[in-house]
Amino acid sequence: MNIRNVLESDYIPIVAVIDEWWGGRKMADMLPKLFFQHFTHTSFIVEQGKERIGFLIGFVSQTDMNQAYIHFVGVHPSYRKATIATQLYEKFFDKVRELGCTEVRCVTSPVNRTSIAFHTRLGFRMEAGDRLVDGISVTTNYDGKGQDRVLFVKKFSLLDK
Amino acid sequence: MNIRNVLESDYIPIVAVIDEWWGGRKMADMLPKLFFQHFTHTSFIVEQGKERIGFLIGFVSQTDMNQAYIHFVGVHPSYRKATIATQLYEKFFDKVRELGCTEVRCVTSPVNRTSIAFHTRLGFRMEAGDRLVDGISVTTNYDGKGQDRVLFVKKFSLLDK
């Protein structure tokens, strides 16, 4: 297994499989090619042999250079028991710390309990939302009407690493 | 009419109207809130009184800091005869030149002849694609299967401005 920076040429093979990786959900619209072109220093691909089995798209905020943001993470369904997502996040953390960031943010869907548990394990803190659902603090209509999200932040402490 | 930088608080009012501005096309998925949070220095809103009548979302490439990219531009249907889009692009050009960029890129759909004419008028050059359709050079499957695009680039000359 090998982790490397994203290349523009990864876009077509990845966008061709992501709806399938998400069990048929229409995800491709949320991932235009620009993310594989303009944020390559902070975005990563995992390869197993010649197959791309995971990716992470992230960037440094241009509004606040101390903040990094993870937009999209995908892992091939056959490899979800492995620690691929964790390794992608750790690669991203290392890179954005090197770039001077002190915190990483991301959002997930309230129904995605696997994702919520994953982020919590990785040291993300759930930010206070406007509604509590089964102990999860949810920000309603965050990404537009009906698009509720759970907001996560991880602050790097001076003691990390 | 007033042009100012985008604020995060512009997101909900804009995302609530964009499908309507695009005549019912589902556009909201292509515009997550992150664009209104992390690229505010290079993204703009046009207001007429208290109404938001146009916006431009753009950023500087983090892969190549000489390049700027325009992701999304929208104008309220009642104001399309005005020069709002032109003013938004010019505001963006000024800002990214100030940030050291030497070129701006964007893509549009081959069926959107109004957009193609607009970009050509503004000094964008059509990049060579892999298919010629009615004199338009198209890159097929650019944003995934069936997602053909026309690619535009505008290089700033030392004589501009």
Side-chain angles (χ1 to χ4, degrees):
Chain A
M1 219 182 70
N2 175 43
I3 303 191
R4 59 164 174 80
N5 284 89
V6 156
L7 298 170
E8 183 172 334
S9 55
D10 293 313
Y11 180 69
I12 293 296
I14 289 288
V15 84
V17 296
I18 58 163
D19 289 358
E20 192 188 313
W21 285 12
W22 263 263
R25 273 179 69 192
K26 290 269 174 214
M27 304 303 285
D29 272 0
M30 293 166 60
L31 201 63
K33 185 181 277 186
L34 67 93
F35 287 109
F36 285 67
Q37 295 168 317
H38 300 300
F39 306 105
T40 56
H41 296 333
T42 51
S43 299
F44 302 96
I45 287 275
V46 183
E47 288 171 317
Q48 174 81 343
K50 290 194 172 181
E51 195 180 13
R52 293 169 183 84
I53 59 169
F55 68 98
L56 178 152
I57 300 293
F59 55 81
V60 175
S61 173
Q62 293 182 2
T63 301
D64 174 359
M65 302 287 279
N66 295 315
Q67 268 190 44
Y69 186 82
I70 297 175
H71 172 46
F72 220 101
V73 182
V75 176
H76 188 298
S78 307
Y79 293 89
R80 295 212 178 134
K81 296 287 176 208
T83 57
I84 292 172
T86 304
Q87 289 180 64
L88 280 164
Y89 272 71
E90 283 173 354
K91 187 89 175 169
F92 182 77
F93 294 161
D94 286 348
K95 180 61 188 180
V96 298
R97 280 171 72 104
E98 182 192 314
L99 294 173
C101 295
T102 54
E103 60 183 56
V104 176
R105 288 172 187 272
C106 58
V107 305
T108 196
S109 170
V111 297
N112 195 340
R113 295 304 160 109
T114 309
S115 169
I116 293 168
F118 170 78
H119 285 92
T120 305
R121 265 200 317 276
L122 271 188
F124 282 87
R125 185 173 56 72
M126 217 179 280
E127 290 195 277
D130 59 352
R131 186 176 298 169
L132 206 61
V133 183
D134 299 336
I136 307 292
S137 193
V138 172
T139 301
T140 56
N141 304 312
Y142 178 83
D143 260 328
K145 201 172 154 72
Q147 303 297 313
D148 302 348
R149 297 286 183 268
V150 179
L151 280 50
F152 283 108
V153 61
K154 179 182 167 77
K155 302 199 187 217
F156 297 128
S157 117
L158 292 172
L159 298 173
D160 290 355
K161 287 260 151 174
Chain B
M1 217 181 73
N2 174 43
I3 302 191
R4 60 165 174 80
N5 283 90
V6 156
L7 298 170
E8 183 172 335
S9 54
D10 292 314
Y11 180 69
I12 294 294
I14 290 289
V15 83
V17 297
I18 59 163
D19 289 358
E20 191 188 314
W21 285 13
W22 262 263
R25 272 180 71 191
K26 290 269 174 214
M27 303 304 284
D29 271 0
M30 293 166 62
L31 201 61
K33 186 181 276 189
L34 68 91
F35 287 108
F36 285 67
Q37 295 168 317
H38 300 300
F39 306 104
T40 55
H41 295 333
T42 51
S43 298
F44 303 95
I45 287 275
V46 183
E47 288 171 317
Q48 174 81 339
K50 291 195 172 180
E51 195 180 14
R52 293 170 183 85
I53 60 169
F55 68 99
L56 178 152
I57 301 292
F59 55 81
V60 175
S61 173
Q62 293 182 0
T63 301
D64 174 357
M65 301 287 279
N66 294 315
Q67 268 190 46
Y69 186 82
I70 296 175
H71 172 46
F72 219 102
V73 182
V75 176
H76 187 298
S78 307
Y79 292 89
R80 294 210 179 136
K81 296 287 176 207
T83 57
I84 292 172
T86 303
Q87 290 180 63
L88 281 164
Y89 273 70
E90 283 172 354
K91 186 89 176 170
F92 181 77
F93 295 160
D94 287 347
K95 179 61 189 180
V96 299
R97 281 171 71 104
E98 182 191 313
L99 294 172
C101 295
T102 54
E103 60 184 56
V104 176
R105 288 172 187 272
C106 57
V107 305
T108 195
S109 170
V111 297
N112 195 340
R113 296 305 161 108
T114 308
S115 168
I116 293 168
F118 170 78
H119 286 92
T120 305
R121 265 199 318 275
L122 271 188
F124 281 89
R125 186 174 54 73
M126 217 178 278
E127 290 196 278
D130 59 353
R131 186 176 297 170
L132 205 61
V133 182
D134 299 335
I136 306 291
S137 193
V138 173
T139 301
T140 57
N141 305 311
Y142 178 85
D143 260 326
K145 201 171 155 73
Q147 302 297 315
D148 302 348
R149 297 286 183 269
V150 179
L151 280 51
F152 283 108
V153 60
K154 179 182 168 76
K155 304 200 185 216
F156 296 129
S157 118
L158 292 173
L159 298 173
D160 288 356
K161 289 260 151 173

